[in-house]
Amino acid sequence: VHLVESGGGLVQAGGSLKLSCAASGNIFSINGMGWYRQAPGKQRDLVAGMTRGGSTNYADSVKGRFTISRDNAKNTVYLQMNRLKPEDTAVYYCNADIKKAVWDKWDAYWGQGTQVTVSS
């Protein structure tokens, strides 16, 4: 199973970016998918999460600016980031809870991370 992120980059404060994360490989089912971020010297924190049924949760710092969505048919999750701030600068990681078979347990998988840099 592989999670591959794309869409990071350098943007000015106030700008927008959209991250994508596609899961591939031996996948039977995906439950929750989400985005985390880690700034230098800090811990990795949840940014946004989404259940397979569509329920979402957001970190307080991004509510009203970021939107998570997913396409279950494509095993892909997105993060639309608007009104970006310098404090949003971090490596963003995709996370998914995946079963590889009906009898399998849920395991958490991570992408390799994509850098988002917001200049002031």
Side-chain angles (χ1 to χ4, degrees), residues 31 50-55 70 72:
N31 195 0
M50 191 171 193
T51 67
R52 184 174 183 84
S55 297
R70 62 190 281 178
N72 291 330

Side-chain angles (χ1 to χ4, degrees), residues 21-33:
C21 171
S24 63
N26 186 19
I27 297 171
F28 171 75
S29 181
I30 301 177
N31 195 0
M33 299 186 83

Side-chain angles (χ1 to χ4, degrees), residues 40-56:
K42 296 189 176 181
Q43 66 181 21
R44 189 176 298 187
D45 291 324
L46 176 69
V47 176
M50 191 171 193
T51 67
R52 184 174 183 84
S55 297
T56 60

Side-chain angles (χ1 to χ4, degrees), residues 8 28 33 63 78 90 95 98 105:
F28 171 75
M33 299 186 83
K63 284 180 181 177
Y78 307 95
N95 169 271
I98 294 174
K105 59 180 176 64

